[in-house]
Amino acid sequence: MQDNKYSPIHVIGGGLAGSEAAWQIAQSGVPVILHEMRGVRGTDAHKGDSLAELVCSNSFRSDDATANAVGVIHAEMRMAGSLIMACADKNQVPAGGALAVDRDGFSEAVTRELEAHPLITIVREEISGLPPKEWDLAIIATGPLTSPDLAAAIQAETGEDALAFFDAIAPIVHRDSINMDICWYQSRYDKVGPGGTGKDYINCPMDQDQYHAFIDALIAGDTVGFKEWEGTPYFDGCLPIEIMAERGRETLRHGPMKPMGLTNAHNPTVKAYAVVQLRQDNALGTLYNMVGFQTKLKYGAQAEVFRMIPGLENAEFARLGGLHRNTYIDSPRLLDPSLTLKSRPGLRFAGQITGCEGYVESASIGLLVGRFTAAERKGEIPSLPPATTALGSLLNHITGGHLASDDEPGKRSFQPMNVNFGLFPELEPGSIVKPEGVKRFRGKDKTIMKRQLMAARALRDCAEWLGVEAPVFAPAPEEDAAE
C-alpha cells in the first residue's frame, strides 16, 4: 500500500458488497485493508477463494435501464464507477435481456483488479469479533454467511432480537395491480390500531369453491427444498402457507385466511368463506404484503397459484415469497441514513446483512457505504443519493421505508427487498399523459409508461448527484420491460 495522508479504512468481507466498497474507497484516494476469511476458513456455500464469488445464479437480472428497476440500478452503478458492473460487463455471457456472467471469469476479474490497486491491501484472516476501536472507520460486509463468532459479536452489540438468521417472507404486490372492484379496505372488526384508520388492509374474498380450489393448488404446487447447510427452521410463527394447508383443509380459514370481522364492501349481505388480507408494506403506500403467506413454493408456482385469489388475477409482484438462510440486522432501528451503527460511530454495514436481496443490490449498498465512509475519512459530510434514484430508494427502504408490524407473532417487520419501482416515490401528478392517437390507455400500457418515466427521472437525478452526464438508452423491447 502506498504512503497516504489518510489512515486506512477496514472492510470485513470480500463478497460483492465488500469488494465494491473497497474499490470505491480506494478510487477516492483513501487506503483500504480488505479482510476476507476464505483462504483461511471456508463457508458452507462458497467453492473457492476468489473475491466476489457468485454462490447461486450467474445472472444480474434485467439490464433494461428504460423500464426495469434492476436495469436502472445497473446504469446508476456504472455512472458511479462500479467495479462489480465493470467486471460483469467484461465477462458477460448471452442471456437475452438479462446481464449474466461467466462466474469464474467474473470473480477472477474482481480479485485481479483489487489485488492490483495500489491503495488496497487484502488480508486473508477471520475477524471473529467487532472491529477494534483503534481501526476507527470500518465496514462489515459479511453477507448471509457471516461466521458464527462475528454474528454473535454483532448480536451482543445490537441486541438478541436485532439479528435474523432466516427470512420468512410473504409475497409483496404492487398496489396499482390489485383489482379494487373485487377487493376492499378494512381492518378486522374495523379495529383502529396505532396510526391506523380501521381500513388498513386490502381484503380479497373467496367463496367455498374458490377456497378449496386454492387449497388444492397450494398442496400440488412445486416447492423448493432447503439447502443441506440451511437446515429446516420451521416454527409455528412462520410456517409456509403450503405446510399449513397440508395440515388440514380448514387450517387456513382459522389462520391467516379467516373471514371473521370483515364485511365485503361490494356485497355486504354475503359472507366470504375465506379472506386473504394484504397489509401496506412501505411508507409510500405503493407495496402491499400478503399477510401470513410465507412460502417455499417455486416462483412460477407462486405467481400461478396466488393469481387464483380474487382481486389478484393481474397481480404484479415486487417480490415473491421465500424461507431461507439470510443473516441480516434490523437496519431501520440500528443504522442511521448513511448506514452507520447508531451505537458505534465509525462502524458501517454493507450488502445483504443490511437487509437487501440480490447480487446487484448487495453491491450497490457496498458502493454507497464505500463512498460514505471515504467522505467521512476526508472530513466531508456523506452525500446521500436522491430518493428518486434506484440507489436512493433502496437505501431509504433499508433505513426506514418499511412499516412496522406487531400483529404477526414470529414475524419481523423489516424484511429484505430487491430493488423495484414500488420503492420509488410516485411521479408528480399529471406526469402520465395518454399518447396522441391512442384511444384506450390503461393497464399494461399505462404501467410501462409509468416505469419509463420513473427510470428516466432516476437516471437524470443520479447523474446530477454524481456530477456526470446521464446516459441515453433506446427503449427496450416490450417483453423486457416488466420487472
Side-chain angles (χ1 to χ4, degrees), residues 2 21 127 148 177 248 284 308 343 345 405:
Q2 293 179 341
I127 304 298
S177 71
L284 296 172
M308 293 174 65
S343 66
S405 166

Side-chain angles (χ1 to χ4, degrees), residues 224-399:
V224 179
F226 285 102
K227 296 180 175 65
E228 185 176 338
W229 48 270
E230 287 187 299
T232 308
Y234 291 150
F235 56 96
D236 284 342
C238 67
L239 281 174
I241 194 82
E242 63 275 7
I243 298 295
M244 285 190 273
E246 289 172 355
R247 290 186 171 186
R249 297 189 69 84
E250 297 296 301
T251 300
L252 291 176
R253 286 190 66 238
H254 297 279
M257 295 178 65
K258 59 180 178 284
M260 286 74 79
L262 297 168
T263 301
N264 188 338
H266 303 296
N267 197 356
T269 62
V270 176
K271 187 73 175 176
Y273 191 75
V275 174
V276 174
Q277 288 197 303
L278 295 93
R279 181 182 51 239
Q280 186 175 333
D281 195 77
N282 66 340
L284 296 172
T286 55
L287 300 175
Y288 275 70
N289 69 70
M290 299 175 66
V291 177
F293 268 61
Q294 56 277 345
T295 179
K296 287 292 286 181
L297 287 173
K298 291 181 178 179
Y299 284 172
Q302 285 186 51
E304 183 177 342
V305 173
F306 296 150
R307 285 182 180 132
M308 293 174 65
I309 298 169
L312 301 186
E313 57 274 359
N314 296 311
E316 295 182 19
F317 297 96
R319 70 160 300 154
L320 289 160
L323 185 63
H324 61 97
R325 172 73 181 270
N326 187 13
T327 305
Y328 68 101
I329 61 174
D330 191 1
S331 293
R333 182 164 63 86
L334 299 173
L335 304 182
D336 76 5
S338 73
L339 299 167
T340 299
L341 190 63
K342 294 175 184 177
S343 66
R344 175 88 180 265
L347 178 59
R348 285 184 169 88
F349 285 80
Q352 276 191 253
I353 198 167
T354 66
C356 60
E357 280 277 296
Y359 293 149
V360 175
E361 290 85 344
S362 295
S364 72
I365 298 302
L367 183 152
L368 290 176
V369 169
R371 296 174 77 94
F372 296 161
T373 312
E376 184 174 349
R377 173 62 81 216
K378 292 177 171 183
E380 302 167 359
I381 297 174
S383 172
L384 305 184
T388 51
T389 64
L391 290 168
S393 67
L394 187 60
L395 177 64
N396 286 347
H397 168 74
I398 289 169
T399 58

Side-chain angles (χ1 to χ4, degrees), residues 79-325:
M79 281 192 277
S82 166
L83 172 66
I84 294 301
M85 291 307 302
C87 291
D89 289 337
K90 290 176 183 175
N91 290 276
Q92 185 173 3
V93 296
L99 173 60
V101 303
D102 177 304
R103 67 176 70 235
D104 292 333
F106 166 76
S107 59
E108 288 167 5
V110 173
T111 304
R112 191 164 54 247
E113 292 290 339
L114 292 173
E115 287 177 340
H117 201 293
L119 292 180
I120 297 176
T121 300
I122 299 171
V123 180
R124 298 283 183 168
E125 63 178 349
E126 180 183 356
I127 304 298
S128 56
L130 292 183
K133 294 289 179 67
E134 57 265 28
W135 282 9
D136 183 24
L137 293 181
I139 297 167
I140 294 177
T142 46
L145 298 174
T146 297
S147 68
D149 289 343
L150 180 55
I154 295 170
Q155 198 163 34
E157 172 71 22
T158 58
E160 284 296 315
D161 62 345
L163 190 67
F165 294 96
F166 277 89
D167 271 348
I169 299 173
I172 294 174
V173 181
H174 287 277
R175 162 63 186 83
D176 58 10
S177 71
I178 300 170
N179 184 354
M180 296 306 295
D181 290 335
I182 294 174
C183 305
W184 75 97
Y185 286 101
Q186 185 189 7
S187 301
R188 201 177 300 279
Y189 299 109
D190 300 306
K191 181 179 178 182
V192 180
T197 65
K199 295 184 178 182
D200 302 322
Y201 292 79
I202 293 176
N203 299 278
C204 309
M206 282 186 179
D207 63 26
Q208 186 170 358
D209 290 342
Q210 290 168 331
Y211 174 78
H212 286 296
F214 180 71
I215 295 300
D216 290 338
L218 269 183
I219 294 172
D222 287 340
T223 58
V224 179
F226 285 102
K227 296 180 175 65
E228 185 176 338
W229 48 270
E230 287 187 299
T232 308
Y234 291 150
F235 56 96
D236 284 342
C238 67
L239 281 174
I241 194 82
E242 63 275 7
I243 298 295
M244 285 190 273
E246 289 172 355
R247 290 186 171 186
R249 297 189 69 84
E250 297 296 301
T251 300
L252 291 176
R253 286 190 66 238
H254 297 279
M257 295 178 65
K258 59 180 178 284
M260 286 74 79
L262 297 168
T263 301
N264 188 338
H266 303 296
N267 197 356
T269 62
V270 176
K271 187 73 175 176
Y273 191 75
V275 174
V276 174
Q277 288 197 303
L278 295 93
R279 181 182 51 239
Q280 186 175 333
D281 195 77
N282 66 340
L284 296 172
T286 55
L287 300 175
Y288 275 70
N289 69 70
M290 299 175 66
V291 177
F293 268 61
Q294 56 277 345
T295 179
K296 287 292 286 181
L297 287 173
K298 291 181 178 179
Y299 284 172
Q302 285 186 51
E304 183 177 342
V305 173
F306 296 150
R307 285 182 180 132
M308 293 174 65
I309 298 169
L312 301 186
E313 57 274 359
N314 296 311
E316 295 182 19
F317 297 96
R319 70 160 300 154
L320 289 160
L323 185 63
H324 61 97
R325 172 73 181 270

Side-chain angles (χ1 to χ4, degrees), residues 12 16 33 45 52 63 69 72 80 94 120 148 164 219 240 254 272 275 283 321 347 350 370 427:
I12 303 171
L16 279 83
I33 299 176
D63 203 34
V72 173
I120 297 176
I219 294 172
H254 297 279
V275 174
L347 178 59
L427 297 166

